[in-house]
Amino acid sequence: MDSTPRLRSAYPNTPSSSRPTPQRPQPHNASQTSNGRGFGSPRIADIKTLRPQESTSDGPLIPFDTIDAPSQRLYLAGAYILLLLWRLYDFFKLHQDQEESFWLFLKWIAIDCTFLFGLPSLRVPWLEWSSTTMTVLFMFHSVLDAILMFRIPIPLGSALVALVKVLYDREMAISEHSVKPASLLQDPSHILGRYEIHVLPEGSALLNPSKIPLCLEHTRFASVSLPFQINQTKPNSIELTRFDLDTSQIETIRLGSSTLRKMIRNSFRNAAGAQMLEYSVSKPGLYRLGKVVDESNLEVGHPLSETLVVSCPRARIKPAGPNRCRGDLSNIAMEVEGSPPLKIKYRKTANGEDRDITYQSIQPDDFVSPMVRQLGPGPVVSASDNELKWATAAKVHVPLNETLSRGGLWSYSIDQVTDVFGNVVSYNDPQTEGEIAKPKGWQLEDAFMVHERPIISLDGHYTKSPRRVAAGQAVRFPIQFQSHMKSSADTTYLVHYKFTPFDELANDGGHSLSPEHRSVKAKVGQADNVVEPGLYTLTAIESEHCQGDVEEPSSFLLMNPPAPSIDFRTEKVFDKCANRQVGLQVELNMTGTPPFSLAYSSQMRNTQSRTHVATFDGPRGQLELSPDHAGHWSYKLLSLDDHLYHGIDLRKRNLIFEQDVRPSVYAAFTHRTPPRTACIDEPANFEVRLQGDGPWTLEYELVHGKQRTKYQVADIQQPIFTITTERLIKGGDYSLALIGVTDGQGCREALQQDSKLSVRHQRPRAAFAHLDGNRSVRTLESKHVELPLRLVGDGPWTVDYRHTVNDSQGNTLPGPTVSNTLRHANDGLKVQDPGTYELVGVNDAVCPGTVDESGRTFDVQWVDRPQISIPTSDRIQQQGDLFTRHEICEGMDDAVDINLIGRPPYEVKYQEHINPDRGSRSVRPPVQLTVPAHAAQVKMDTSHPGLYEYRFIELADYNYDHEPRKHKHVTVQQRVHGRPGAVFTNPGKVHSFCQETDARGAQASEAIPLKLQGQPPFTIDVEIRHQASSMALKPKTITIADIPSLFHALQIPHAALQTGVSNVVIRRVRDGLGCERFYDPPSSIPSNQKALQASGNAAPRVQVSVNEAPSLASAELNRVNYCVGERLGFSMSGTPPFNVHYTFRGATQKASVSGSTFRRIAEKPGNFTINAVSDGASGCKTEVKGIQKVIHDLPSVRVSKGKSARYDIHAGGSVDVIFEFQGVPPFHFTYTRSEMIKQRGASDGSKPGRVLDTRTLRSNEMSKTITESEEGLYEVVAIRDHFCSYARPGYEGTVSGSAPEGAGRVLDAPDEEVERLLEL
């Protein structure tokens, strides 16, 4: 590959090492061939290959192992681009900061010299150029540096304009937009319209020339119109031949003159201008046009012309019922009738979702239509094929069987049917011309409802075990419907099940061989009840329309256990002392389903009966009937209940047993409790219950220590007796024992019952104890404190106390008495509120007690919470919790004092809310201060203007943490006014003043707009320094005071300015609030633009330039009239760019011109007036008077109202050709007559061919009419009015006596002068 010749512009191969690659020697006799030729071909000259210069050193400065050669070239290219960007940056900075060009030129000469001449020393492949190349490159960069740094203009604009002119031919028009001159001079709208005069040939006739499909509707008097096209003739008779479709018989139809006259009266013209006749027929068949005779009894020639008339296609739907079930087939069919093959379009709707379906090629079996295999136009019936049965209407049955996959409303609707000839019957709105619209009837659509299949099962809760109920009790048939059936709650379903009575069940618990099959009606959530015991199994379910499915579980067993019964046996119970009956014992035996409940009544003679209920968990039970009172008692069993049966009546069995009872004597304490406790010096009571016949005599004794005292109480009439002891004045343990009791019969019963009693040795007491030596305490607010108590007695104690507080007026307000239960002798009262707490009473677990007077009360006080306050003065005002400090200027130091009340150290937290004059509202993070004393100072922030709020949000001292609910918020507010400022509205603008005087001869003052910030009125100091003056001269300073608004027009008198450029700098601004801003002097302003922006206090400055006013003159002083398409030229003096102010067509325009020539092309007619011209560099504006031009529109002509008109005439006829003009008369126009060449597929007629005749006419009016009788295409090719002329593009001639094509003509000017002006 190294020996492959390369072009000079190609890159050489990258060397793999610094040593040159050895070349293989070539044999001298080796000949090179070209184009595959062999020996004898001329030898191709050797192409010199650009090879890298062999370096004299061993390798590159940077080894390729460190950075490969392509990367080194990439880095050097990047460095060169960075140097180029730096060079451009200095060039733009030179325009803004006006630095010295010479030093920048020297800097870049040094940089380019270093980079270019140092490049070969790197020994990078492909960049090791020769010294001559480096010198040429250095010279090129030196010229570029001189052009950029000394701002030398380069005439690149002219060359670019010339190139653009060639590639982009557009010029600026008077209306200040680009136009193409060719579009103005070659506008085809100036000549519009043409006449086509045709000499008609002999007449012709056609049957159904447009091949419109024709069909007869299925009505009694249906008919269809056969269209005839008659051209250039008036028929006198027409002969039609009809071929019958069924029998192929031929029928001849003759249309006489009377029939044709009626048809001609109702005729019309088609788009081609031919006459159309219509003849109505009512029979289907093939109609062929026969002999046509005109009114001259001559036969009119015509090609073979025929058309088919068939029955219109139709279709209907055969319905199959209004209801279906989900999963069934749709089972509907469509019957289509017409000439096959047919096409039908129908719409299927399922639950509101429409779908359009089209079936094509609907035809009977083994049917083939010749219309399908006919490849091109031609007769439908040939001479050898007279069979037309294929065109007759046929009925085709189209089944539609699809699975109904979801429930809801389904509908099928026929929309359109089409036969093989293109006859379309639409049952909706016709979408295309020629469709037959038919209203939809009941046979064209079918709708049915698809119902969901019901699915049932039994509730699993009732199928896990047999359902046991009482005999004759009805239970709900536990039918469970699926969730999708709950929406049809009103639907009644027929449920089928089989039933086997319980006694006939098979041995395995299943149905018998012949179970009963039953049916029941049910609704969702509703079902009939069943009573008979046995096995129930669901077999099927059906709704009004569909059969359903049965899911498991489907069976449940209903059982009737036997009703409960009872048997009993009684045994008397006797008293051992008196040998008398004292009770009755009854043993019960029950059958049924436990548990049992037995209701019985007991009645003593001559008293009311009482009902009792006894419950037994098992089938055996026992009743103990031992009444407390003697007498005759009778007992009767009333009813028996078990788990299933309730209220089994036992009264019919008359189960009654009686007894005479006399209970034995007995006495006992009513409450057998542990030893009781009594208070000292108080009696004790004991309640005793007596049994037997009264009156009774009770014997008891009271034992205390070794002292025993007996007592006897006789004639006790009531069975409940209370023993009351004497006052127990000694403490200790007592015992009251019952010794015996004797009833009214004299029977005595010894007793051995006693009751223990413990008597307290002293009464309970209560008193407040000392806390830190006092019965008072100071505590933190809302903190619980426990007041110590000293209690004597047995706990728990109930202590009653009262809380007393003093109101704001010093009045004592006692509170309600509060009780508190304490369990320990040294417990305390937990309280939270301040005030005096007084003990009212005390009770221990048994006895009331007393309160010690010395410890009756206890005082509780709160320690005050910390507070913050702001001292007021003339510099700070208070409104509630808001303290407003005096307003201050931005940057001034200020602080606010705060006073603190409490126990130091304090923790103060405040938050600064800033609402700046510019920007969004912000909140700074809270600041926390630790204050060791009762006063502190907070420094105010004045760094930016705005409204500052210092909200003290938290306060805590040594005693209290911050409590948000009880903290009193204090807010300090201060308005910080921003430093005033002043900027020039257009800081980068050079204000150019014109060096002219006013009417009084004094130099006029110019205004420079200023924008001020702050509060008016303002005072500013302005410094004026002329650039051409020596830096040692002191600049002029102007002070402007009492500026009342934020916008001010700075008036600088010309006396303070000199010709040339001056700098105007703002040095100081002071507003009405006394705030000031001093700007840095110009000498301290950094030259670097970034540093200027970063300083933020640089003095605003603008430049003022004083210049002379510009002027303008017309290039053609004596010419006033111009035509559209001509150019207007003016010359200007002054410093470009210029702004030309002019009026065109009543609208004021302004044009910017970069050169000294103002040139515009006239694209519209109107009056053009130059008003003023301004110098773009200085802004000086000079009024211009006396320069006015009149632009005239090009003349226009309209032939046939500007449209193409076609006139068919017979030989010898004529046509009036009308020409209408626009412009200023007189008019001269040239028109031609050309051959007409038909255009294939064109709708606008013929195109002109060879020119047959050319004529030029004159008209002093706005229109002209001529008569023409020769065939041809008549068009205007050129026109001229009083001022201008126009010729159609491509026309090489001229209007007689007119100027060249598209040029204007000045009235009364010599022809030589007109031609000279047009050439300009």
Side-chain angles (χ1 to χ4, degrees):
M1 295 298 293
D2 293 340
S3 61
T4 302
R6 294 180 177 268
L7 298 177
R8 294 182 180 270
S9 60
Y11 284 107
N13 291 333
T14 302
S16 59
S17 64
S18 60
R19 290 185 295 179
T21 303
Q23 301 292 327
R24 184 173 14 176
Q26 297 288 343
H28 295 284
N29 58 355
S31 62
Q32 299 179 358
T33 62
S34 175
N35 297 331
R37 291 191 296 264
F39 297 100
S41 300
R43 181 177 179 181
I44 300 178
D46 293 336
I47 301 177
K48 296 182 179 180
T49 304
L50 181 63
R51 300 182 183 275
Q53 296 180 359
E54 296 182 0
S55 178
T56 57
S57 61
D58 294 337
L61 182 64
I62 301 175
F64 291 151
D65 296 338
T66 304
I67 302 176
D68 56 4
S71 299
Q72 292 188 29
R73 289 192 292 268
L74 179 63
Y75 295 154
L76 290 173
Y80 180 78
I81 294 175
L82 291 178
L83 290 176
L84 182 60
L85 295 176
W86 186 14
R87 191 191 324 266
L88 294 177
Y89 170 75
D90 283 351
F91 170 71
F92 288 112
K93 185 169 159 250
L94 182 65
H95 278 272
Q96 296 180 0
D97 296 343
Q98 301 178 2
E99 294 186 359
E100 292 294 336
S101 300
F102 181 71
W103 297 111
L104 290 176
F105 173 70
L106 293 180
K107 180 182 78 171
W108 282 107
I109 285 292
I111 293 176
D112 291 338
C113 180
T114 304
F115 181 81
L116 293 176
F117 288 102
L119 188 62
S121 62
L122 297 177
R123 297 186 292 277
V124 178
W126 299 358
L127 298 180
E128 297 180 88
W129 298 326
S130 63
S131 300
T132 304
T133 303
M134 290 299 176
T135 303
V136 172
L137 291 177
F138 175 71
M139 295 302 296
F140 170 75
H141 283 77
S142 300
V143 173
L144 179 62
D145 294 339
I147 292 174
L148 294 178
M149 299 304 126
F150 291 107
R151 292 180 286 183
I152 300 174
I154 303 175
L156 296 178
S158 301
L160 184 61
V161 169
L163 180 61
V164 171
K165 195 69 175 179
V166 174
L167 301 178
Y168 184 72
D169 186 14
R170 299 183 73 92
E171 295 185 21
M172 185 64 68
I174 297 178
S175 299
E176 293 304 317
H177 64 273
S178 299
V179 297
K180 290 185 177 181
S183 64
L184 300 177
L185 301 177
Q186 300 176 5
D187 187 1
S189 63
H190 291 286
I191 300 177
L192 294 177
R194 64 181 183 176
Y195 274 81
E196 293 184 17
I197 300 178
H198 296 263
V199 178
L200 297 177
E202 295 183 0
S204 61
L206 287 174
L207 174 62
N208 193 9
S210 301
K211 303 301 180 182
I212 301 174
L214 302 173
C215 68
L216 291 168
E217 298 185 22
H218 298 272
T219 58
R220 182 176 180 182
F221 301 103
S223 63
V224 66
S225 297
L226 296 180
F228 295 89
Q229 177 179 307
I230 306 299
N231 191 20
Q232 301 299 324
T233 187
K234 187 175 182 179
N236 191 34
S237 66
I238 296 177
E239 184 178 286
L240 285 175
T241 303
R242 186 182 76 87
F243 295 87
D244 190 87
L245 300 180
D246 295 325
T247 62
S248 297
Q249 293 182 356
I250 300 175
E251 177 186 0
T252 302
I253 303 173
R254 291 181 175 83
L255 307 181
S257 58
S258 60
T259 303
L260 288 174
R261 281 195 296 270
K262 294 180 183 179
M263 294 170 58
I264 291 174
R265 283 197 298 268
N266 298 326
S267 65
F268 61 93
R269 296 278 181 179
N270 60 8
Q275 188 178 20
M276 300 297 297
L277 307 180
E278 291 183 346
Y279 176 69
S280 297
V281 296
S282 58
K283 296 180 181 180
L286 175 66
Y287 289 85
R288 180 173 294 170
L289 182 62
K291 185 177 181 181
V292 179
V293 179
D294 62 5
E295 56 186 1
S296 302
N297 290 328
L298 296 177
E299 184 175 356
V300 178
H302 61 82
L304 178 64
S305 180
E306 62 184 9
T307 186
L308 261 173
V309 177
V310 297
S311 298
C312 291
R314 62 179 177 177
R316 69 185 185 94
I317 294 179
K318 294 182 177 181
N323 297 287
R324 304 283 197 282
C325 295
R326 182 175 179 178
D328 291 347
L329 297 178
S330 58
N331 195 24
I332 65 173
M334 293 187 297
E335 187 177 84
V336 187
E337 182 179 356
S339 298
L342 299 162
K343 181 175 73 172
I344 189 170
K345 180 180 179 182
Y346 69 94
R347 179 176 300 171
K348 181 183 72 173
T349 303
N351 274 343
E353 296 182 4
D354 294 341
R355 181 185 175 189
D356 292 333
I357 303 174
T358 302
Y359 282 176
Q360 297 183 357
S361 301
I362 301 175
Q363 59 188 18
D365 296 336
D366 300 330
F367 174 82
V368 178
S369 174
M371 293 294 292
V372 177
R373 64 173 183 263
Q374 185 173 2
L375 300 179
V380 178
V381 178
S382 62
S384 60
D385 186 8
N386 294 326
E387 181 66 37
L388 292 173
K389 288 186 178 181
W390 60 269
T392 59
K395 290 185 179 180
V396 182
H397 184 80
V398 181
L400 297 178
N401 278 330
E402 58 178 319
T403 303
L404 305 177
S405 58
R406 55 180 175 176
L409 182 63
W410 289 56
S411 65
Y412 292 83
S413 175
I414 298 177
D415 291 342
Q416 193 180 84
V417 60
T418 308
D419 63 4
V420 67
F421 302 108
N423 295 299
V424 180
V425 177
S426 178
Y427 300 102
N428 291 327
D429 294 335
Q431 299 179 356
T432 60
E433 184 179 356
E435 292 185 2
I436 301 176
K438 291 285 187 178
K440 285 195 175 181
W442 62 272
Q443 292 183 335
L444 297 174
E445 52 186 359
D446 183 27
F448 52 86
M449 180 63 69
V450 178
H451 302 274
E452 297 285 348
R453 293 185 181 274
I455 301 176
I456 62 171
S457 62
L458 292 179
D459 191 348
H461 179 72
Y462 299 98
T463 59
K464 295 180 180 179
S465 60
R467 182 76 183 275
R468 293 179 173 85
V469 297
Q473 181 181 351
V475 296
R476 186 181 68 85
F477 205 155
I479 299 175
Q480 186 174 7
F481 296 85
Q482 274 203 353
S483 59
H484 75 273
M485 301 171 61
K486 295 183 180 179
S487 59
S488 55
D490 297 335
T491 305
T492 301
Y493 300 93
L494 185 62
V495 180
H496 301 276
Y497 66 94
K498 57 183 178 180
F499 170 73
T500 299
F502 185 79
D503 297 337
E504 299 178 7
L505 291 176
N507 295 332
D508 58 355
H511 286 279
S512 62
L513 297 178
S514 58
E516 299 180 21
H517 292 274
R518 301 178 181 179
S519 299
V520 63
K521 293 182 178 180
K523 295 183 178 180
V524 176
Q526 302 177 9
D528 291 348
N529 297 330
V530 293
V531 179
E532 301 176 68
L535 182 62
Y536 295 81
T537 300
L538 298 176
T539 58
I541 182 174
E542 59 182 271
S543 63
E544 183 180 359
H545 309 290
C546 303
Q547 292 286 339
D549 299 326
V550 176
E551 295 183 349
E552 293 296 333
S554 61
S555 301
F556 85 102
L557 181 62
L558 181 63
M559 298 176 59
N560 290 147
S565 61
I566 188 171
D567 292 328
F568 65 91
R569 184 177 64 85
T570 61
E571 182 178 352
K572 296 180 179 180
V573 179
F574 292 93
D575 183 14
K576 298 180 181 179
C577 173
N579 195 20
R580 55 188 175 186
Q581 184 177 352
V582 295
L584 187 68
Q585 184 175 5
V586 182
E587 293 183 1
L588 302 175
N589 294 320
M590 294 163 286
T591 60
T593 304
F596 300 92
S597 179
L598 176 64
Y600 66 95
S601 63
S602 63
Q603 183 181 12
M604 191 174 68
R605 185 177 296 170
N606 299 327
T607 60
Q608 292 184 354
S609 63
R610 298 175 60 186
T611 302
H612 311 273
V613 177
T615 302
F616 306 97
D617 295 332
R620 297 179 60 84
Q622 190 177 57
L623 289 177
E624 296 287 344
L625 304 176
S626 298
D628 296 338
H629 303 284
H632 181 78
W633 292 81
S634 63
Y635 304 90
K636 185 177 182 179
L637 302 183
L638 303 178
S639 63
L640 179 64
D641 299 342
D642 66 355
H643 182 66
L644 301 177
Y645 295 86
H646 300 281
I648 302 300
D649 192 5
L650 302 179
R651 293 184 180 90
K652 297 179 181 180
R653 296 178 59 184
N654 198 21
L655 302 177
I656 300 174
F657 40 90
E658 300 177 349
Q659 67 173 338
D660 292 322
V661 176
R662 297 180 66 187
S664 58
V665 62
Y666 186 73
F669 292 106
T670 56
H671 302 288
R672 300 299 301 271
T673 59
R676 297 171 54 191
T677 302
C679 300
I680 193 170
D681 200 20
E682 291 184 1
N685 296 322
F686 298 88
E687 189 177 82
V688 179
R689 183 170 176 271
L690 303 173
Q691 182 177 312
D693 298 331
W696 294 273
T697 299
L698 180 61
E699 301 174 15
Y700 65 92
E701 65 178 0
L702 182 62
V703 180
H704 174 61
K706 296 182 179 181
Q707 184 179 359
R708 184 185 302 269
T709 304
K710 293 185 179 181
Y711 300 92
Q712 182 177 357
V713 182
D715 196 16
I716 300 174
Q717 300 294 331
Q718 300 297 329
I720 302 299
F721 177 69
T722 300
I723 300 174
T724 302
T725 66
E726 298 177 352
R727 297 172 61 89
L728 306 177
I729 58 175
K730 294 182 179 180
D733 293 331
Y734 289 81
S735 175
L736 182 67
L738 299 180
I739 300 175
V741 61
T742 304
D743 61 2
Q745 301 296 328
C747 293
R748 183 180 183 279
E749 181 74 22
L751 303 175
Q752 295 182 356
Q753 288 193 6
D754 61 351
S755 179
K756 303 295 183 179
L757 178 64
S758 178
V759 178
R760 303 276 296 278
H761 291 277
Q762 59 180 354
R763 299 178 67 85
R765 295 195 313 274
F768 283 114
H770 291 85
L771 185 62
D772 295 334
N774 297 307
R775 288 191 175 93
S776 64
V777 66
R778 288 177 58 86
T779 183
L780 299 181
E781 181 180 347
S782 301
K783 183 178 181 181
H784 288 85
V785 61
E786 186 175 283
L787 306 183
L789 288 174
R790 297 297 180 261
L791 303 174
V792 178
D794 295 334
W797 290 267
T798 301
V799 178
D800 300 331
Y801 65 94
R802 184 186 300 115
H803 178 212
T804 303
V805 296
N806 296 328
D807 59 7
S808 59
Q809 299 179 357
N811 300 322
T812 303
L813 300 177
T817 301
V818 181
S819 297
N820 198 355
T821 300
L822 303 176
R823 298 190 177 278
H824 301 285
N826 295 312
D827 279 350
L829 291 177
K830 291 185 178 180
V831 297
Q832 187 178 5
D833 300 325
T836 301
Y837 293 86
E838 179 184 3
L839 296 178
V840 177
V842 64
N843 292 318
D844 65 357
V846 180
C847 304
T850 59
V851 177
D852 190 353
E853 292 296 333
S854 62
R856 181 178 291 271
T857 61
F858 203 102
D859 293 332
V860 178
Q861 297 180 359
W862 278 355
V863 177
D864 294 334
R865 299 189 67 87
Q867 297 180 4
I868 184 172
S869 63
I870 307 296
T872 59
S873 63
D874 57 346
R875 300 176 64 85
I876 188 167
Q877 303 295 328
Q878 179 181 4
Q879 294 180 353
D881 294 336
L882 178 63
F883 295 84
T884 304
R885 192 163 177 79
H886 72 287
E887 298 178 351
I888 197 171
C889 295
E890 178 184 359
M892 298 179 63
D893 295 333
D894 194 13
V896 63
D897 295 329
I898 58 173
N899 293 335
L900 301 172
I901 301 174
R903 184 177 179 184
Y906 299 93
E907 296 289 340
V908 181
K909 183 180 292 185
Y910 69 92
Q911 195 170 35
E912 185 176 350
H913 293 251
I914 305 173
N915 188 8
D917 293 342
R918 294 181 180 178
S920 59
R921 187 182 182 92
S922 62
V923 179
R924 291 185 177 177
V927 179
Q928 184 169 347
L929 302 177
T930 301
V931 182
H934 296 286
Q937 198 175 62
V938 176
K939 185 177 181 181
M940 314 295 281
D941 186 3
T942 60
S943 59
H944 297 89
L947 182 62
Y948 289 78
E949 285 188 358
Y950 302 86
R951 300 180 183 179
F952 294 89
I953 57 177
E954 292 185 12
L955 176 62
D957 64 354
Y958 181 81
N959 293 324
Y960 288 96
D961 293 332
H962 173 69
E963 176 60 39
R965 293 178 299 176
K966 297 184 179 181
H967 175 65
K968 180 180 179 183
H969 288 274
V970 175
T971 302
V972 178
Q973 189 180 82
Q974 186 180 41
R975 164 66 67 178
V976 177
H977 296 287
R979 292 191 183 97
V983 293
F984 292 101
T985 305
N986 301 312
K989 178 181 178 182
V990 177
H991 295 268
S992 298
F993 297 157
C994 299
Q995 190 172 9
E996 58 185 9
T997 59
D998 57 9
R1000 295 170 296 180
Q1003 287 185 334
S1005 299
E1006 300 293 342
I1008 300 176
L1010 280 176
K1011 183 178 180 182
L1012 301 169
Q1013 298 177 355
Q1015 183 69 30
F1018 298 92
T1019 300
I1020 63 173
D1021 293 343
V1022 179
E1023 181 182 276
I1024 302 173
R1025 183 190 300 269
H1026 193 266
Q1027 289 186 358
S1029 62
S1030 175
M1031 296 299 293
L1033 296 179
K1034 184 177 181 181
K1036 298 179 181 179
T1037 302
I1038 301 174
T1039 300
I1040 304 171
D1042 297 330
I1043 299 176
S1045 64
L1046 298 177
F1047 295 92
H1048 178 67
L1050 179 62
Q1051 301 288 340
I1052 301 179
H1054 280 274
L1057 298 174
Q1058 301 179 19
T1059 303
V1061 179
S1062 300
N1063 290 329
V1064 179
V1065 183
I1066 299 176
R1067 293 297 310 280
R1068 182 180 69 92
V1069 182
R1070 180 182 178 89
D1071 64 358
L1073 299 175
C1075 299
E1076 289 184 332
R1077 179 190 292 269
F1078 291 91
Y1079 291 102
D1080 296 334
S1083 59
S1084 63
I1085 298 177
S1087 60
N1088 191 302
Q1089 187 67 19
K1090 293 184 178 180
L1092 176 63
Q1093 297 175 356
S1095 63
N1097 201 39
R1101 60 176 179 170
V1102 294
Q1103 291 182 346
V1104 177
S1105 177
V1106 180
N1107 302 280
E1108 296 182 356
S1111 62
L1112 180 141
S1114 176
E1116 299 175 302
L1117 299 178
N1118 298 325
R1119 185 176 180 185
V1120 177
N1121 296 299
Y1122 289 82
C1123 295
V1124 171
E1126 291 189 296
R1127 297 167 180 84
L1128 286 73
F1130 305 89
S1131 61
M1132 295 170 290
S1133 63
T1135 304
F1138 298 93
N1139 290 326
V1140 180
H1141 304 266
Y1142 59 91
T1143 302
F1144 179 61
R1145 297 170 63 97
T1148 302
Q1149 302 280 348
K1150 185 180 76 170
S1152 298
V1153 183
S1154 59
S1156 60
T1157 302
F1158 174 56
R1159 181 184 179 91
R1160 290 292 184 268
I1161 189 170
E1163 87 282 12
K1164 295 179 181 178
N1167 294 329
F1168 178 82
T1169 304
I1170 298 291
N1171 300 325
V1173 60
S1174 61
D1175 189 342
S1178 62
C1180 298
K1181 186 174 182 181
T1182 302
E1183 301 292 335
V1184 179
K1185 298 181 180 179
I1187 300 181
Q1188 295 184 354
K1189 307 292 181 181
V1190 179
I1191 302 172
H1192 302 277
D1193 196 4
L1194 298 178
S1196 302
V1197 61
R1198 300 289 186 268
V1199 183
S1200 181
K1201 303 295 183 180
K1203 300 180 180 178
S1204 295
R1206 174 191 173 100
Y1207 290 92
D1208 298 329
I1209 63 175
H1210 294 282
S1214 62
V1215 175
D1216 291 337
V1217 180
I1218 301 174
F1219 300 91
E1220 297 175 340
F1221 308 104
Q1222 292 181 0
V1224 180
F1227 298 95
H1228 296 79
F1229 65 97
T1230 301
Y1231 71 96
T1232 61
R1233 181 174 67 87
S1234 308
E1235 290 182 345
M1236 294 179 294
I1237 301 176
K1238 295 294 293 182
Q1239 301 184 73
R1240 180 177 296 179
S1243 60
D1244 57 350
S1246 306
K1247 67 178 180 178
R1250 182 172 58 90
V1251 176
L1252 304 176
D1253 191 9
T1254 302
R1255 298 179 186 179
T1256 300
L1257 300 178
R1258 174 188 174 94
S1259 176
N1260 294 323
E1261 305 296 333
M1262 301 301 293
S1263 64
K1264 188 176 183 63
T1265 302
I1266 62 175
T1267 302
E1268 296 288 346
S1269 60
E1270 298 183 34
E1271 184 178 61
L1273 183 63
Y1274 292 81
E1275 293 179 306
V1276 177
V1277 295
I1279 183 174
R1280 180 172 72 97
D1281 67 352
H1282 186 67
F1283 293 103
C1284 307
S1285 65
Y1286 177 79
R1288 176 169 290 177
Y1291 176 68
E1292 298 179 355
T1294 60
V1295 184
S1296 177
S1298 65
E1301 173 190 347
R1305 175 179 175 273
V1306 181
L1307 184 62
D1308 299 332
D1311 292 342
E1312 294 80 7
E1313 180 67 13
V1314 172
E1315 293 178 359
R1316 186 185 65 82
L1317 293 176
L1318 290 176
E1319 291 175 356
L1320 293 176

